[in-house]
Amino acid sequence: MNKIILTLILLAFFNTSVNSQNMLSETYNLMPWPKEIKENNNKFIIDSNITISIHPKNKGRVSNAAVNFLRRLSNRTGVFLNEGFPITNKKGNINITFNEISKLNIKTNEYYTLDITNQSININAQTDVGAVRALETLLQLTKNNESHYYFPGVNISDAPRFVWRGLMIDVSRHFHPINVIKRNLDAMASVKMNVFHWHLTDDQGFRVESKVYPKLHKLASDGLYYTQEQVKDIVAYANNLGIRVIPEFDVPGHASAILTAYPKLGSKEGYKYAIERYSGVFDPTLNPTKDITYHFLEQLFTEMVVLFPDDYFHIGGDENEGKHWDENLEIQEFKKQHGLKTNHDLQTYFNIKLEKILNKLGKKLMGWDEIMTPNMPTSSVIHSWRGENEGLPKGGTLIEAAKKGYQTVLSNGYYIDRMQPVEQHYVVDPIGNVKLTPEERLRVLGGEVTMWSELVTPQTIDSRIWPRTAAIAERFWSPKEINNIINMKKRLNDVSFKLEELGLTHIKNRDVILRSMTNNQDVSSLIDLSKICEPLKIYKRNKDGIEYKTYSPFNLFADACVVNAQDASNFNQSAFSYIKNQDNASLVLSYLNKWSNNYNNFSKLEKNPKINPLEKLSKHISETASILSTAIQSKNISTKNLQILKSNIEILKQPFVDTEVVIINALNALVNYTENHLTE
């Protein structure tokens, strides 16, 4: 009986705590949401007298973060600060205390407390990284009324749920310069992500200078690569933000670029290797039976580990179909001699060799989940990218790997290049409801967002990563119970604009692209269309990987459009509310009236081949919106107009220049409503 009573008390306390956090999340736009937050009825006024002091040392990560904090705070509030740097001769009214400088790894302690009163703000952390995380939370707390900006009085105790909270950027399919990488590192730090996975090689390019094998960057990069000094600069920049950098050199498949430079390492004699210009999975593969292959990789890895000091080193290992292995008689004979029945067995042989090489270099091998085979050492790290859709058990390889003794990281469900809505990623939990032992739970390190770059350039990459990645970062940091989608989207809207302050281009570059499409004409009609259209999802845009080459144009209408189109969500919600209860009629009409004028505005544009394909979209949106608006206001519709609506809906269901209209269901529901209730 006592156990039952205790359980009920604990459950009641837990529910009260969750409800309290949910109420506060309506007030504060924090993302990721902290582990625990309480209000204390204080208010710290932001004025020119703000000072920051750091104990024990005013240098390193915390000092840099404090200076950056003051700059961003001053810009956000317009307050002219008397002190733009941390003070050293006395205690500041923002006081930061931490105990140790952290060497970044999976054991880094990121716990912190943040206490705000009328007179002071105190940050306490075990490590400097925890203190850096606290400053990001404090900046997110900035609020204002008519007369001043302030920090609300709260007490926060915070720590991450997972130790691995990553973003992978593929710089091989499209090269992304240093400034792109740095601004995304800044954004990562602002939402407390701590692993940058740098996908540096693939069929489309080898992107790092190699002094040992210089043909790699001279012949296999089109001149687009990072010098070793630039790599060191990025690693140092990330380290300063509390972010680890994990390199990926993808082998034995995805090797067209490597074999362009060093064809003798290939599995098919006489094959003309070349940098790949299309997307997809290709045949060129390293030959795992040659000693020179392992000598090459050992020398290359020995050179690269100096640039990347982290404990983990990613070797890819995915999507090798082994076609060139099957066509090579010497490789087939090698398999027989070594008792290797399948190509999967041969790749395991290859992976084990690499694991030993990296182990000797003091690194832990990490690879995509294809590397997990019975003979693969459990010292390897399994990066899970496949799930139930690929015929694997529910949870994909993540849980299977953890149970078998591997450390593991989840990316299945976080492939943001698939252009799916943020809510679909947000509901994916790295563990879900699976029961794990404490040891198995520790092996689930966390998750990574993956940004494959077949269809993104430096101009568009930010809009493909952000703001959705901020919501996924919350899955990796915050308690599992923080999962309200409506509240998340409310907070994400605010965070998105704050990310733009950091220099991200995910908002402004829409108009840059549209101005380019129209030769700098009035783009208002195209903006309105972009707010109800989204890029085609799950790789439908680049069918079979051959519609676009790496140097094709990526400043088209689909590139201006983003996931979670700005007007679509509000209109869809309002339309269904109107149909159900006749609520929100004015909001529905405001959208319809705006769209009814779209074709008139579009028609005024001086046409060109880039915007001509949008004329049909504009015309049918306008006609549909105009008829629906008139019908709703007059409470009447003719049979003729009803047929026009139905015809238009069928047209609008089709893709337009690699986008889809995402208000179709709501428009169709309104058409059905008018037919059933307003027909003459």
Side-chain angles (χ1 to χ4, degrees):
M1 180 63 71
N2 288 338
K3 287 185 177 180
I4 294 175
I5 293 173
L6 179 60
T7 300
L8 291 174
I9 292 172
L10 290 174
L11 184 61
F13 174 79
F14 173 77
N15 288 335
T16 300
S17 177
V18 171
N19 290 335
S20 174
Q21 298 299 298
N22 288 338
M23 290 176 62
L24 290 175
S25 65
E26 295 296 330
T27 303
Y28 304 113
N29 292 319
L30 298 174
M31 186 171 284
W33 191 256
K35 190 173 184 179
E36 183 178 351
I37 176 172
K38 297 178 181 177
E39 293 181 305
N40 61 30
N41 298 318
N42 282 273
K43 178 192 288 188
F44 183 96
I45 305 299
I46 299 170
D47 60 26
S48 59
N49 295 316
I50 280 185
T51 53
I52 294 181
S53 59
I54 303 170
H55 307 279
K57 295 180 179 180
N58 182 18
K59 63 179 183 180
R61 291 190 187 104
V62 180
S63 181
N64 289 326
V67 172
N68 191 33
F69 169 87
L70 291 170
R71 299 294 180 275
R72 291 162 67 190
L73 181 67
S74 179
N75 286 334
R76 184 172 296 180
T77 62
V79 172
F80 287 69
L81 302 179
N82 293 329
E83 286 288 349
F85 300 88
I87 59 175
T88 57
N89 57 344
K90 60 181 180 179
K91 188 174 181 178
N93 45 30
I94 300 178
N95 183 56
I96 303 172
T97 303
F98 64 95
N99 297 326
E100 63 183 79
I101 303 291
S102 176
K103 181 183 183 301
L104 297 183
N105 54 44
I106 63 170
K107 295 182 180 179
T108 297
N109 188 328
E110 297 177 86
Y111 170 81
Y112 68 88
T113 61
L114 170 62
D115 299 292
I116 302 175
T117 68
N118 290 331
Q119 303 301 322
S120 66
I121 297 173
N122 289 298
I123 290 172
N124 286 278
Q126 176 63 30
T127 70
D128 55 340
V129 176
V132 170
R133 305 294 183 238
L135 282 171
E136 290 293 347
T137 300
L138 180 59
L139 193 64
Q140 285 189 352
L141 283 167
T142 309
K143 296 179 77 71
N144 69 279
N145 54 31
E146 291 185 3
S147 61
H148 56 261
Y149 287 84
Y150 64 93
F151 294 120
V154 294
N155 303 101
I156 290 175
S157 177
D158 200 11
R161 184 175 169 219
F162 292 100
V163 300
W164 194 296
R165 308 178 304 279
L167 168 64
M168 186 221 74
I169 295 181
D170 164 20
V171 298
S172 181
R173 274 57 175 259
H174 277 101
F175 181 73
H176 297 283
I178 290 293
N179 67 311
V180 175
I181 302 301
K182 285 186 173 180
R183 73 190 185 217
N184 277 280
L185 287 169
D186 289 335
M188 288 175 65
S190 75
V191 291
K192 303 179 175 64
M193 300 181 83
N194 68 345
V195 177
F196 170 47
H197 173 176
W198 209 352
H199 185 86
L200 290 160
T201 72
D202 218 295
D203 294 291
Q204 293 80 5
F206 189 97
R207 302 301 184 191
V208 183
E209 175 191 20
S210 173
K211 296 177 181 179
V212 176
Y213 295 108
K215 289 182 180 179
L216 287 171
H217 66 271
K218 290 181 178 179
L219 301 181
S221 73
D222 294 316
L224 300 172
Y225 64 90
Y226 308 100
T227 67
Q228 293 197 4
E229 289 305 309
Q230 287 176 320
V231 170
K232 291 175 184 177
D233 179 41
I234 287 293
V235 172
Y237 191 89
N239 183 282
N240 204 33
L241 296 169
I243 296 174
R244 299 159 46 218
V245 179
I246 312 296
E248 180 182 350
F249 294 84
D250 203 350
V251 289
H254 290 281
S256 297
I258 292 175
L259 296 175
T260 298
Y262 294 94
K264 289 185 178 180
L265 302 173
S267 297
K268 187 168 184 176
E269 293 289 336
Y271 189 84
K272 187 173 177 57
Y273 294 106
I275 297 173
E276 188 54 60
R277 304 304 180 185
Y278 289 107
S279 304
V281 179
F282 303 99
D283 298 331
T285 314
L286 298 183
N287 190 329
T289 70
K290 290 183 176 180
D291 290 339
I292 58 170
T293 298
Y294 300 104
H295 176 76
F296 169 85
L297 291 173
E298 181 166 7
Q299 294 298 108
L300 178 65
F301 290 173
T302 299
E303 178 185 23
M304 293 301 152
V305 296
V306 177
L307 303 177
F308 299 99
D310 196 82
D311 297 335
Y312 294 77
F313 196 97
H314 208 300
I315 58 95
D318 61 315
E319 296 182 323
N320 174 26
E321 297 179 353
K323 183 179 179 182
H324 282 187
W325 288 356
D326 293 336
E327 297 171 355
N328 187 312
L329 296 179
E330 291 182 0
I331 291 177
Q332 295 307 307
E333 182 60 30
F334 182 91
K335 286 168 64 178
K336 292 178 182 178
Q337 291 176 0
H338 290 79
L340 305 171
K341 296 181 180 180
T342 67
N343 286 337
H344 210 157
D345 294 337
L346 180 57
Q347 184 158 335
T348 298
Y349 172 90
F350 173 84
N351 291 339
I352 291 173
K353 288 258 195 181
L354 263 58
E355 196 274 340
K356 291 178 180 177
I357 290 172
L358 289 171
N359 184 265
K360 187 169 64 174
L361 295 171
K363 301 295 182 182
K364 294 194 72 168
L365 179 146
M366 185 174 185
W368 301 103
D369 55 35
E370 287 96 329
I371 75 167
M372 188 175 69
T373 56
N375 296 325
M376 197 66 192
T378 55
S379 56
S380 305
V381 183
I382 307 303
H383 193 169
S384 176
W385 71 278
R386 298 180 296 178
E388 57 268 27
N389 292 337
E390 288 76 20
L392 296 170
K394 189 167 180 62
T397 52
L398 181 89
I399 301 303
E400 181 187 356
K403 287 182 177 293
K404 288 183 175 180
Y406 297 94
Q407 289 183 331
T408 184
V409 172
L410 181 68
S411 281
N412 179 43
Y414 305 128
Y415 268 52
I416 54 173
D417 64 308
R418 291 164 68 93
M419 307 308 289
Q420 294 172 293
V422 63
E423 49 268 35
Q424 290 189 234
H425 301 297
Y426 191 69
V427 298
V428 177
D429 185 85
I431 294 177
N433 297 317
V434 177
K435 300 296 183 184
L436 298 174
T437 67
E439 293 79 12
E440 291 167 348
R441 168 61 184 83
L442 285 174
R443 295 185 199 124
V444 181
L445 301 181
E448 268 190 16
V449 176
T450 50
M451 183 66 255
W452 300 105
S453 68
E454 287 92 339
L455 298 174
V456 299
T457 65
Q459 186 177 52
T460 60
I461 187 170
D462 294 0
S463 70
R464 275 43 186 155
I465 298 176
W466 307 100
R468 288 177 296 154
T469 291
I472 301 173
E474 183 161 272
R475 289 270 56 78
F476 301 157
W477 178 282
S478 302
K480 182 180 177 181
E481 296 73 27
I482 304 299
N483 56 17
N484 184 293
I485 291 176
I486 295 175
N487 177 265
M488 172 274 290
K489 293 176 81 169
K490 186 270 296 186
R491 290 181 287 123
L492 185 63
N493 187 55
D494 181 73
V495 169
S496 181
F497 287 101
K498 301 294 173 57
L499 287 168
E500 190 177 40
E501 288 181 1
L502 283 170
L504 290 184
T505 63
H506 64 297
I507 297 175
K508 70 177 183 181
N509 272 6
R510 176 198 66 189
D511 292 4
V512 172
I513 293 170
L514 296 180
R515 283 194 292 271
S516 172
M517 289 179 63
T518 61
N519 296 320
N520 198 30
Q521 299 179 68
D522 177 10
V523 296
S524 58
S525 62
L526 299 189
I527 289 175
D528 287 340
L529 291 177
S530 75
K531 290 180 179 181
I532 57 172
C533 293
E534 295 181 5
L536 294 179
K537 296 169 175 50
I538 316 181
Y539 309 132
K540 291 179 181 177
R541 178 178 180 184
N542 190 23
K543 186 174 174 57
D544 298 324
I546 57 173
E547 292 185 24
Y548 290 83
K549 294 181 179 179
T550 53
Y551 48 81
S552 297
F554 291 94
N555 63 343
L556 307 174
F557 182 67
D559 303 296
C561 295
V562 297
V563 183
N564 294 105
Q566 189 173 340
D567 286 347
S569 179
N570 286 339
F571 174 74
N572 291 340
Q573 184 177 353
S574 301
F576 285 110
S577 177
Y578 167 75
I579 291 168
K580 184 177 181 180
N581 303 310
Q582 279 67 63
D583 293 336
N584 296 318
S586 61
L587 185 56
V588 171
L589 287 170
S590 70
Y591 280 115
L592 293 175
N593 291 335
K594 177 173 72 170
W595 297 329
S596 66
N597 292 320
N598 190 272
Y599 188 60
N600 180 55
N601 294 330
F602 181 88
S603 299
K604 296 175 183 177
L605 293 172
E606 192 176 299
K607 302 302 186 295
N608 64 54
K610 268 189 172 182
I611 63 174
N612 287 344
L614 293 171
E615 182 167 7
K616 187 176 181 181
L617 169 63
S618 176
K619 180 178 180 179
H620 288 286
I621 282 289
S622 289
E623 188 174 47
T624 301
S626 178
I627 293 173
L628 281 172
S629 175
T630 300
I632 291 171
Q633 291 180 84
S634 66
K635 301 187 184 304
N636 186 275
I637 187 170
S638 67
T639 302
K640 178 182 177 182
N641 280 341
L642 187 61
Q643 291 305 313
I644 292 173
L645 286 178
K646 290 183 176 181
S647 175
N648 284 353
I649 290 294
E650 291 305 310
I651 292 170
L652 293 172
K653 284 180 180 178
Q654 305 304 312
F656 287 88
V657 287
D658 290 332
T659 70
E660 58 184 352
V661 181
V662 289
I663 57 170
I664 285 296
N665 289 339
L667 289 176
N668 198 40
L670 286 172
V671 171
N672 291 335
Y673 175 81
T674 60
E675 181 176 26
N676 293 328
H677 296 86
L678 307 179
T679 308
E680 290 179 347

